Amino acid sequence: MTVRDIIEILEAKVITAADLDVEVHTACGSDMMSDVLAFVKDQSVLLTGLLNPQVVRTAEMMDMRCIVFVRGKVPDESIVKLAQEMGITLLNTRYRMFTACGRLYESGLRGGCESE
Protein backbone atom coordinates (compact mmCIF):
# COMPACT_ATOMS: atom_id res chain seq x y z
CA MET A 1 0.00 0.00 0.00
CA THR A 2 1.25 3.51 -0.73
CA VAL A 3 0.83 6.73 1.22
CA ARG A 4 -1.41 7.90 -1.62
CA ASP A 5 -3.69 4.89 -0.90
CA ILE A 6 -3.78 5.81 2.78
CA ILE A 7 -4.88 9.35 1.91
CA GLU A 8 -7.81 7.94 -0.02
CA ILE A 9 -8.79 5.30 2.56
CA LEU A 10 -8.70 7.74 5.47
CA GLU A 11 -10.07 10.70 3.50
CA ALA A 12 -6.98 12.44 4.84
CA LYS A 13 -5.62 15.90 4.25
CA VAL A 14 -1.96 16.32 3.38
CA ILE A 15 -0.18 18.63 5.81
CA THR A 16 3.23 18.16 4.22
CA ALA A 17 4.21 15.68 1.55
CA ALA A 18 7.41 13.78 0.95
CA ASP A 19 6.99 10.75 -1.35
CA LEU A 20 3.30 9.88 -1.67
CA ASP A 21 4.13 6.80 -3.72
CA VAL A 22 6.38 5.20 -1.10
CA GLU A 23 5.26 1.72 -0.02
CA VAL A 24 4.28 1.12 3.59
CA HIS A 25 3.98 -2.44 4.78
CA THR A 26 2.43 -2.08 8.23
CA ALA A 27 0.63 0.39 10.48
CA CYS A 28 0.91 1.25 14.14
CA GLY A 29 -1.62 3.21 16.16
CA SER A 30 -0.26 4.61 19.42
CA ASP A 31 0.06 7.72 21.54
CA MET A 32 2.93 6.16 23.48
CA MET A 33 6.17 6.57 21.57
CA SER A 34 7.89 4.09 23.91
CA ASP A 35 5.53 1.39 22.57
CA VAL A 36 6.35 2.39 19.01
CA LEU A 37 10.07 2.08 19.75
CA ALA A 38 9.63 -1.26 21.51
CA PHE A 39 7.21 -3.07 19.23
CA VAL A 40 7.21 -1.68 15.69
CA LYS A 41 9.01 -3.54 12.93
CA ASP A 42 9.15 -3.12 9.16
CA GLN A 43 8.32 0.10 7.36
CA SER A 44 5.18 1.47 8.95
CA VAL A 45 2.79 4.36 9.00
CA LEU A 46 2.17 5.81 12.45
CA LEU A 47 -1.30 6.84 13.52
CA THR A 48 -1.41 9.04 16.61
CA GLY A 49 -3.27 11.77 18.42
CA LEU A 50 -0.09 13.04 20.03
CA LEU A 51 1.11 16.45 18.81
CA ASN A 52 4.74 16.96 19.70
CA PRO A 53 8.14 16.82 17.97
CA GLN A 54 8.93 13.47 19.63
CA VAL A 55 6.40 11.84 17.29
CA VAL A 56 8.43 12.91 14.25
CA ARG A 57 11.73 11.96 15.87
CA THR A 58 10.37 8.52 16.76
CA ALA A 59 9.06 8.00 13.24
CA GLU A 60 12.43 8.95 11.80
CA MET A 61 14.27 6.54 14.12
CA MET A 62 11.95 3.71 13.07
CA ASP A 63 12.24 4.55 9.34
CA MET A 64 8.55 5.46 9.09
CA ARG A 65 7.63 7.51 6.04
CA CYS A 66 4.21 8.77 7.11
CA ILE A 67 2.45 10.01 10.24
CA VAL A 68 -1.33 10.31 10.38
CA PHE A 69 -2.80 12.56 13.05
CA VAL A 70 -6.24 11.30 14.03
CA ARG A 71 -9.34 13.17 15.22
CA GLY A 72 -8.58 16.07 12.87
CA LYS A 73 -5.57 17.18 14.87
CA VAL A 74 -3.16 19.56 13.15
CA PRO A 75 0.49 19.86 14.26
CA ASP A 76 2.10 23.25 14.76
CA GLU A 77 4.64 24.70 12.37
CA SER A 78 7.67 23.39 14.28
CA ILE A 79 6.45 19.81 13.89
CA VAL A 80 5.69 20.35 10.20
CA LYS A 81 9.15 21.83 9.62
CA LEU A 82 10.84 18.92 11.40
CA ALA A 83 8.90 16.40 9.28
CA GLN A 84 9.87 18.26 6.11
CA GLU A 85 13.54 18.15 7.12
CA MET A 86 13.29 14.39 7.74
CA GLY A 87 11.31 13.60 4.58
CA ILE A 88 8.24 12.35 6.44
CA THR A 89 4.73 12.92 5.10
CA LEU A 90 2.20 14.28 7.59
CA LEU A 91 -1.51 13.67 7.16
CA ASN A 92 -4.57 14.23 9.27
CA THR A 93 -7.91 12.49 9.25
CA ARG A 94 -11.19 13.22 10.96
CA TYR A 95 -11.47 9.59 12.04
CA ARG A 96 -10.70 8.46 15.57
CA MET A 97 -7.73 6.15 15.96
CA PHE A 98 -9.80 2.98 16.28
CA THR A 99 -11.75 3.73 13.11
CA ALA A 100 -8.70 4.86 11.14
CA CYS A 101 -6.78 1.69 12.07
CA GLY A 102 -9.82 -0.41 11.21
CA ARG A 103 -10.20 1.18 7.80
CA LEU A 104 -6.54 0.52 6.99
CA TYR A 105 -6.77 -3.06 8.27
CA GLU A 106 -9.91 -3.67 6.23
CA SER A 107 -8.00 -2.44 3.17
CA GLY A 108 -5.19 -4.94 3.72
CA LEU A 109 -2.62 -3.08 5.83
CA ARG A 110 -1.55 -5.10 8.84
CA GLY A 111 -0.04 -4.28 12.21
CA GLY A 112 3.64 -3.74 12.76
CA CYS A 113 3.97 -5.28 16.21
CA GLU A 114 6.08 -8.32 17.05
CA SER A 115 3.10 -10.13 18.59
CA GLU A 116 1.10 -10.23 15.33
Side-chain angles (χ1 to χ4, degrees):
M1 180 177 295
T2 66
V3 171
R4 196 174 304 277
D5 296 327
I6 291 167
I7 293 167
E8 184 176 327
I9 293 163
L10 297 181
E11 302 170 19
K13 295 178 183 170
V14 178
I15 299 167
T16 186
D19 182 1
L20 298 182
D21 294 313
V22 68
E23 289 278 333
V24 292
H25 306 289
T26 59
C28 175
S30 182
D31 288 342
M32 294 184 64
M33 295 303 102
S34 58
D35 283 353
V36 175
L37 290 169
F39 298 111
V40 171
K41 62 175 184 165
D42 207 357
Q43 193 167 11
S44 298
V45 56
L46 174 61
L47 292 92
T48 188
L50 193 60
L51 290 173
N52 67 41
Q54 192 61 30
V55 172
V56 178
R57 290 187 184 98
T58 300
E60 196 271 334
M61 284 175 47
M62 302 305 292
D63 195 31
M64 295 176 163
R65 302 292 83 207
C66 180
I67 300 168
V68 179
F69 295 101
V70 296
R71 299 187 305 276
K73 292 191 172 189
V74 180
D76 67 29
E77 191 57 40
S78 66
I79 296 169
V80 174
K81 184 177 179 194
L82 185 60
Q84 288 171 332
E85 290 170 5
M86 295 182 173
I88 298 172
T89 296
L90 299 181
L91 310 174
N92 78 343
T93 182
R94 64 184 169 86
Y95 294 113
R96 294 181 179 183
M97 189 171 328
F98 181 83
T99 304
C101 290
R103 290 177 68 93
L104 292 175
Y105 188 89
E106 187 176 59
S107 297
L109 198 58
R110 296 299 180 244
C113 293
E114 293 287 340
S115 61
E116 291 188 59

